Amino acid sequence: MSDQVPAGEDMSRWRPGVGREGAVARLVALDSRGQLTTDHARLVAEALGVSLRTVWNWVAVARREGRLSARTPARTGVSADVRARLAVWGGNVAAVHRELLAEAVKAGVADSVPSLRTLQRAVRQDLSARERAGLKGGEAARRRYDVYGKRPRTHRNACWEGDHKRVPVRVDLEGSAVCPWVTWFIDVATKAIVGVAVTPHQPARDAVLAALRTGISRTDPYGPFGGLPGVVRVDRGKEFLCRTVERALGGFAVPVHDLPAYKPYRKGTVEALNDAVEEMFLVSLPGYTRRARPVGAHHPDRVEDLLSYPEFVEALLRWVRGWNTGHHPEGLAGGLTPLAAWEADPALVEDIAEERLAFFALEDDGRVRKITTNGISWRRRAYIAPWMTGHVGMRVRLRYLPHFDGRIEVFSTEEWGRHLGSAYLAQAATVEQRRALSSVREKKARQLKADLKAAE
């Protein structure tokens, strides 16, 4: 802190004697040249808020002992042995003192142990609040006293951060209560959640790939956020750093930065998102496992009272849309929403054509299937597309996005299968999709009629 005093302030309100060492050094230098006068001493006394007699005493001590500052009283320090004992006792100074006193009494040197108050004072002076918290509560407690800088602000898609979160909400999965997991990626610059995947079990590479694909694709219903990120920042989770993920992102020249384990502040944006979803959304759901309850009155919600897994997924995705379009995260200039920040950012978005994403993050069905008049049957449901018209009987292979059954990708059965096109769930087809299918059928029929007429 500065020794300067604001104009108009009374010097007596400030700690007297602050700056003694520099002032006495100057007076001693003047004294050695025979230039020291009472006026010099008076100036120092007024500036430091002490009496003129005190200043002359300081000069006398400097002449006699060569000491420019006050004498530091002897005190008990915290030795390496005491630090080790504090670690054993979780920072409990009283317990360490009792142990030291017991050992000293046994050895017949009880007077060698300082008093408890003296030891407590030494611990406060020698160990910072950060060190004392670490000894008592471990790394997580110590980290609360650290100072963290912020990375420079960048543009959209410059960096994504990804993470898993175990959702502290019990949901009904076919009669069993489970806590699902969410895997998501967030754009650091705009705070927009670009990709999400929800799994009823601990996520693996399929969840990461699904979240990445929904993040990169900007087609409906994933847009407008997405495109290729400049870098993806994750921790050392084996699912995030497995060879499949590195190969998938490496195919688009996107590096993965694997951060050190147990350092959440290195990817603070997604960690803040993990906290926000719990405070803003999860805490209000039935089956929330961290809700405060009276002592002895904890009764888990019955399975029939919980949200079903599909209901939970729908509610979480609805919250994600609300976050992107209606929330105002801290750190966005002007109180913008992630959507507004994304649209206001002039940085170029590098899109990837859907046909180039046909292989990205998709799982192989592992079977050869046949196109029928009902389309392609997969998981006891029919999938149709206009391009199938005229190809009934063709044998094909399927690839699909894990945890999403709204669309599949169809390939020929050749060794390096040619991508034939996408197919959508027949029962969920829109009016436009059904009209497109009818239009292709009618076009093929007109073409055959024209060919037959020409043959006549």
Side-chain angles (χ1 to χ4, degrees), residues 3 16-33 36-37 39-51 54-60 62 67-70:
D3 293 337
V18 174
R20 168 182 171 176
E21 187 172 348
V24 175
R26 167 66 173 162
L27 295 178
V28 169
L30 291 172
D31 186 45
S32 65
R33 297 194 297 269
L36 179 61
T37 66
D39 290 338
H40 294 127
R42 185 175 291 110
L43 286 173
V44 170
E46 292 176 355
L48 302 187
V50 296
S51 66
T54 298
V55 174
W56 285 121
N57 286 336
W58 290 350
V59 174
R67 177 165 50 83
L68 303 180
S69 59

Side-chain angles (χ1 to χ4, degrees), residues 56 137 173 343 347 372 393:
W56 285 121
L173 179 65
E343 293 176 340
T372 68

Side-chain angles (χ1 to χ4, degrees), residues 410-421:
V410 187
F411 299 82
S412 66
T413 56
E414 303 166 3
E415 182 179 358
W416 299 100
R418 178 169 55 91
H419 182 224
L420 301 176

Side-chain angles (χ1 to χ4, degrees), residues 50 55 71-72 82 85 139 229 235 240 256 261 282 297-298 325 396 400 423:
V50 296
V55 174
R71 180 181 286 107
T72 302
V82 172
R85 293 174 187 266
E139 174 64 18
D235 59 19
F240 276 120
V256 178
L282 301 179
H298 176 62
T325 60
V396 295
Y400 61 93

Side-chain angles (χ1 to χ4, degrees), residues 27 43 73 155 158 162 173 205 243 278 354 381 416 426 446:
L27 295 178
L43 286 173
H155 56 82
L173 179 65
R205 65 184 183 89
R243 182 59 182 162
E278 185 164 350
E354 283 300 306
R381 289 186 286 185
W416 299 100
R446 288 195 301 269

